[in-house]
Amino acid sequence: MTGQNTVFRKNFSLIVAFLALITAVLVVGLVVGYQFTSKSVENEFSSKKTNVADQTIGPYLDLYKNKIFEINLYSGLLDSASAAYYADSVFRNYPFVNKLVFFQIVVSARGRYMGNNLKIEAHSVFEYYPHKKYFKKSRLEDAANQNDFRQMAERLNSYVARYDTLRGPGPDQQAFFYNTRPGKVSFLNIPSNADLKAYHDLLKGAGSSEAFYKQNMMTFYLEPTKVKIKNVHPELYSSVSIRQVSYDPPDIDHTKILTDEVPLPGAFSDYKLYFSSPRDYLNSEVYHRFLPIAGVLLLIYSVLMLIGWLIYRNLSVNMKLFKLQYDFINNFTHEFKTPVSVIKIAGSNLKGDNELTDRQRKHYGKILDEEADKLNELMNKLLSFTQLENKSITIKRDKVKIESFVKGYIDTFKIKYPQFKLDYAIDPEARFFYTDTVLMGSVFQNLIENAYKYSHPDRKELFIKVSLEKRNIVFSFIDKGIGIPKNELNNIFRKFYRLENQYNQNGSVGLGLAFCKELVNFLDGDITVKSRVDVGSEFVVTLPYES
């Protein structure tokens, strides 16, 4: 068997190597997965800032592209009251607008600001403020107002000079009527095509000197710090603020804090969105994203571990089965070989040339008879075992007197083994029960025989106790034998399995207890064992009780 053990050790080493390999792969996978997740979070810190910027400047873009353009709907006919109403809606929806200046402009052939023959002048100027129910009339002489008006007047004059009366306005028409500078946006309502042709005529000196046209211009003063920051990725950015472009905080340890920035467009071009997050803050997001990856890796690892365990169990079972078969062949061969050898020797003596006395003939005849009985018993046990497994035996239940049944086997074994101490005790209420006497007798024979065989020479004792428990009858076989190791208790009822001990050196087929279990199960019962090494064992047979 040494060779087989070596094979098993090699297989076991292979399993250990496999488990070590997948464990190492798991550790590497967890480390790589964590580093990949950490790097991914850092990359998103840099890439998703534009999402925050887009959401934050969304109201400004809405003001620029939609709300300001509503001035066009009035076609230059806004007055101070309607302009106040419009200003109120701007302040209400765009809190970063902190002032609005309204210019009522007249375009004619005469005026203060002119380009060639086109004359543009501000008829009146009004200022509006948030959270105030009044407005005030301003003066064009105010430097800021004067500068805004002049720039827009020059834009209008330039556009009219380039205007093609045959083709109409070009695709870049709107750009001429917006004037965007840091902190403010000016807009002049876009004249209709008819007005642009009239302006063009005035510019060329062909229009009526008495004709005039109204235009509306508004300048929106913006405060970038009042823009509401929409941090749509709070998991990445612990702090988002609006800072001047020149802002550069000193003494930042970039190994502990990540920072980034996005410049703001248009009227906010002097400012930027400033992002910062401590690395500890990002670690929580890293862990949050890493957990599913770790879970998947652990699941794969568990599956591989299960596969490894199944492979090991399969190898272990196969090796144990191989060992059982190997032992069975060896033991079975030995069990057959010994009687056959004895029979052959006795037969040779009987047929020899030497004359034998009557006593010698009787002795050899007895040997032949005993050895033939051993072979027959062994063959019958194998045959019965096969029949039990195939359920091909019919149970014949007879009413049996319990005391007579038990005492009969005790008396038989006392005659067979005079030094064997046997005793019994029977519950007074347990008088009769129904069973198959042949099958039950085989159980008794095997358990009593084992109690004698596996006991020390000076402690060959067995006590049989019969009791009633609920609807069951219980037979307890209590010996003072060598006992069974705890780790072997689950194996002793397996077919062809035998314990290695000093009383089993000559081998056995390993069918005795397995045969008992099959018999008891066939009788709808159960057999269990409790044992302590060098103290003894107790085999308990539990059967349904029918009195």
Side-chain angles (χ1 to χ4, degrees):
M1 296 300 292
T2 305
Q4 302 307 324
N5 289 335
T6 303
V7 173
F8 181 76
R9 283 197 298 271
K10 289 180 180 178
N11 290 329
F12 181 76
S13 299
L14 182 62
I15 295 298
V16 171
F18 171 75
L19 295 179
L21 176 62
I22 64 172
T23 301
V25 171
L26 172 68
V27 173
V28 172
L30 290 174
V31 172
V32 172
Y34 182 82
Q35 291 179 346
F36 175 81
T37 305
S38 179
K39 191 65 177 177
S40 175
V41 170
E42 288 189 16
N43 290 339
E44 288 190 10
F45 181 89
S46 298
S47 62
K48 291 194 173 181
K49 61 187 178 182
T50 56
N51 294 347
V52 178
D54 290 343
Q55 292 294 323
T56 299
I57 65 172
Y60 164 74
L61 295 178
D62 181 66
L63 170 71
Y64 190 84
K65 296 179 180 180
N66 299 317
K67 189 64 179 178
I68 291 179
F69 202 73
E70 287 182 9
I71 298 173
N72 254 355
L73 302 177
Y74 295 94
S75 302
L77 301 178
L78 270 174
D79 57 19
S80 60
S82 56
Y85 178 80
Y86 171 83
D88 182 63
S89 67
V90 170
F91 295 140
R92 185 171 57 250
N93 295 313
Y94 307 96
F96 52 86
V97 180
N98 60 5
K99 179 181 176 182
L100 196 151
V101 180
F102 170 52
F103 298 82
Q104 287 183 315
I105 298 174
V106 175
V107 180
S108 64
R110 59 182 181 272
R112 292 182 60 186
Y113 297 96
M114 62 185 71
N116 298 327
N117 294 318
L118 184 63
K119 299 173 184 180
I120 306 170
E121 65 177 349
H123 183 265
S124 55
V125 181
F126 299 90
E127 294 183 359
Y128 303 88
Y129 298 89
H131 310 300
K132 293 183 179 179
K133 299 300 183 181
Y134 63 89
F135 58 89
K136 68 176 182 177
K137 190 171 182 178
S138 182
R139 297 181 302 166
L140 184 61
E141 285 73 14
D142 181 87
N145 293 340
Q146 186 179 45
N147 186 53
D148 293 339
F149 173 72
R150 185 179 64 253
Q151 290 181 16
M152 192 56 71
E154 290 174 354
R155 281 173 168 265
L156 177 60
N157 185 75
S158 175
Y159 182 77
V160 172
R162 297 173 51 191
Y163 181 73
D164 190 336
T165 56
L166 297 178
R167 294 184 179 181
D172 58 345
Q173 180 190 44
Q174 289 188 18
F176 277 90
F177 297 90
Y178 279 97
N179 187 19
T180 304
R181 290 135 297 161
K184 59 184 176 180
V185 177
S186 295
F187 179 77
L188 179 68
N189 72 284
I190 302 174
S192 65
N193 288 338
D195 288 343
L196 287 171
K197 289 180 180 180
Y199 295 168
H200 190 269
D201 291 340
L202 290 175
L203 183 66
K204 299 298 182 181
S208 172
S209 60
E210 299 299 325
F212 68 91
Y213 304 88
K214 292 183 178 181
Q215 293 281 146
N216 294 141
M217 171 185 161
M218 283 196 179
T219 298
F220 299 79
Y221 286 80
L222 310 179
E223 179 54 52
T225 57
K226 292 185 179 180
V227 173
K228 183 178 180 181
I229 297 173
K230 296 183 179 179
N231 186 2
V232 293
H233 294 290
E235 74 281 2
L236 297 175
Y237 309 110
S238 64
S239 173
V240 182
S241 59
I242 296 176
R243 304 285 186 175
Q244 289 185 336
V245 172
S246 59
Y247 174 75
D248 186 16
D251 301 329
I252 287 186
D253 187 353
H254 290 284
T255 61
K256 295 182 179 180
I257 300 177
L258 286 178
T259 62
D260 212 332
E261 57 188 42
V262 174
L264 296 177
F268 298 153
S269 58
D270 283 349
Y271 289 81
K272 63 185 178 183
L273 279 180
Y274 184 77
F275 302 83
S276 67
S277 289
R279 289 188 180 272
D280 291 341
Y281 181 85
L282 291 178
N283 285 341
S284 61
E285 179 65 14
V286 173
Y287 293 139
H288 178 72
R289 298 188 185 188
F290 176 67
L291 284 178
I293 297 175
V296 171
L297 291 176
L298 289 173
L299 177 62
I300 295 173
Y301 176 77
S302 300
V303 171
L304 292 177
M305 285 287 287
L306 177 62
I307 292 172
W309 178 78
L310 291 174
I311 293 173
Y312 169 75
R313 188 186 69 169
N314 186 56
L315 288 173
S316 179
V317 169
N318 287 340
M319 292 306 301
K320 288 179 181 179
L321 287 176
F322 178 80
K323 187 176 184 299
L324 287 175
Q325 293 172 359
Y326 184 83
D327 289 346
F328 170 72
I329 293 172
N330 281 343
N331 297 331
F332 198 73
T333 301
H334 175 79
E335 291 293 321
F336 267 92
K337 187 175 181 179
T338 301
V340 169
S341 299
V342 173
I343 290 172
K344 185 173 180 62
I345 293 171
S348 298
N349 290 334
L350 286 174
K351 73 177 183 178
D353 295 333
N354 296 330
E355 293 186 3
L356 301 174
T357 63
D358 289 341
R359 182 178 178 181
Q360 288 175 323
R361 280 195 297 272
K362 288 181 180 179
H363 176 68
Y364 288 132
K366 181 180 179 183
I367 290 175
L368 291 173
D369 187 56
E370 289 177 350
E371 297 304 322
D373 286 342
K374 288 182 181 180
L375 290 176
N376 186 56
E377 181 182 356
L378 186 59
M379 294 302 297
N380 285 338
K381 186 176 289 187
L382 285 172
L383 179 62
S384 299
F385 204 113
T386 303
Q387 290 174 334
L388 283 172
E389 287 184 326
N390 295 329
K391 308 295 182 183
S392 58
I393 294 179
T394 302
I395 298 178
K396 183 181 178 181
R397 295 188 183 275
D398 297 317
K399 186 175 183 180
V400 180
K401 187 176 181 181
I402 296 174
E403 185 172 5
S404 299
F405 183 81
V406 174
K407 192 173 184 303
Y409 281 97
I410 288 179
D411 291 343
T412 298
F413 275 89
K414 279 184 177 180
I415 295 172
K416 186 175 181 180
Y417 304 119
Q419 73 275 29
F420 196 11
K421 296 180 182 179
L422 290 157
D423 200 0
Y424 69 95
I426 301 175
D427 190 329
E429 296 183 4
R431 300 175 61 190
F432 298 94
F433 79 113
Y434 288 88
T435 189
D436 188 308
T437 55
V438 176
L439 300 182
M440 192 63 188
S442 295
V443 175
F444 265 69
Q445 285 180 339
N446 276 281
L447 293 178
I448 296 174
E449 189 75 45
N450 280 354
Y452 177 81
K453 180 178 179 181
Y454 297 106
S455 295
H456 298 293
D458 58 341
R459 293 172 57 189
K460 294 187 179 293
E461 300 179 22
L462 178 67
F463 182 76
I464 302 175
K465 183 175 70 173
V466 184
S467 59
L468 295 179
E469 294 182 4
K470 297 182 180 179
R471 297 183 179 181
N472 297 320
I473 183 169
V474 180
F475 297 87
S476 300
F477 297 80
I478 307 169
D479 64 45
K480 294 184 179 180
I482 61 174
I484 304 168
K486 187 175 181 180
N487 61 332
E488 296 284 3
L489 291 177
N490 293 328
N491 298 321
I492 60 174
F493 292 111
R494 289 166 52 188
K495 185 168 60 174
F496 305 134
Y497 188 87
R498 65 188 184 90
L499 297 175
E500 298 292 340
N501 55 61
Q502 68 270 33
Y503 297 99
N504 211 14
Q505 295 299 313
N506 293 328
S508 68
V509 182
L511 286 177
L513 290 176
F515 186 54
C516 287
K517 185 171 181 63
E518 288 292 332
L519 287 171
V520 173
N521 290 343
F522 194 69
L523 293 171
D524 299 325
D526 188 29
I527 181 171
T528 58
V529 60
K530 295 183 289 185
S531 184
R532 291 176 61 190
V533 176
D534 291 330
V535 175
S537 302
E538 179 182 1
F539 288 86
V540 180
V541 177
T542 305
L543 296 170
Y545 179 66
E546 297 179 20
S547 59

